[in-house]
């Protein structure tokens, strides 16, 4: 929906710009007096040409704001990804510690079982049977 609205606004402003420049770009629409920007005097400008300069400045501002918005959004996304990466690393470290603990526990249980089995084996061999 926002794309349609954006395209509509873009088309309407483009049509207004073309009509504004086209209808005011002849010698019948001169500016009264000089026009100055940053100390630079421009004489002989028509209202249509001045309107065209305004369009160029407006496009430049819009482009600059768009770039700033993208950079800001990318920075936010990057910070969010860094937070998720840190959380993932913390979880991995915790899982690794848990794995090591469980591995050690399993090793201890196997050792205990082996000792118990070995002692049972020796006990049955050493005990004389009642028939002897």
């Amino acid at each position: 929906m926002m794309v349609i609205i954006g395209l509509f606004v873009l088309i309407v402003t483009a049509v207004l710009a073309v009509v504004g420049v086209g209808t005011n770009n002849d010698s019948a629409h001169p500016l009264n007096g000089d026009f100055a920007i940053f100390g630079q005097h421009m004489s002989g400008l028509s209202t249509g040409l001045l309107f065209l300069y305004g369009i160029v400045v407006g496009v430049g501002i819009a482009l600059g704001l768009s770039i700033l918005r993208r950079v800001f959004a990318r920075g936010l996304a990057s910070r969010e990804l860094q937070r998720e990466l840190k959380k993932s690393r913390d979880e991995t470290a915790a899982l690794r510690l848990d794995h090591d603990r469980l591995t050690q526990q399993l090793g201890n249980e196997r050792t205990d079982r082996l000792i118990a089995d070995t002692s049972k084996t020796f006990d049955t061999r050493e005990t004389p049977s009642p028939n002897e």
Side-chain angles (χ1 to χ4, degrees):
M1 182 66 179
M2 291 303 291
V3 172
I4 295 171
I5 292 172
L7 286 174
F8 178 74
V9 170
L10 181 65
I11 291 170
V12 168
T13 54
V15 169
L16 287 175
V18 169
V19 170
V21 170
T23 58
N24 295 309
N25 201 18
D26 57 0
S27 60
H29 296 93
L31 285 177
N32 296 332
D34 287 339
F35 184 76
I37 298 175
F38 299 119
Q40 298 293 322
H41 294 280
M42 299 178 186
S43 58
L45 292 177
S46 68
T47 55
L49 193 55
L50 187 59
F51 186 65
L52 179 65
Y53 289 153
I55 291 170
V56 171
V57 170
V59 167
I61 290 171
L63 181 64
L65 288 174
S66 174
I67 291 170
L68 287 176
R69 185 186 59 83
R70 285 183 181 168
V71 168
F72 183 68
R74 187 174 294 149
L76 287 176
S78 176
R79 279 186 240 128
E80 180 64 30
L81 287 175
Q82 287 175 353
R83 274 188 239 122
E84 288 178 13
L85 179 61
K86 184 181 182 310
K87 183 180 176 184
S88 176
R89 285 181 180 164
D90 292 344
E91 289 174 358
T92 302
L95 288 173
R96 189 170 291 131
L97 287 174
D98 194 37
H99 175 266
D100 292 342
R101 181 186 60 80
L102 290 173
T103 303
Q104 181 66 32
Q105 183 180 357
L106 181 62
N108 291 343
E109 288 177 6
R110 285 181 179 166
T111 303
D112 292 344
R113 188 179 315 130
L114 183 63
I115 291 171
D117 288 345
T118 305
S119 65
K120 285 181 185 178
T121 303
F122 286 129
D123 287 343
T124 58
R125 288 184 186 165
E126 292 178 3
T127 55
S129 64
N131 295 336
E132 291 183 16

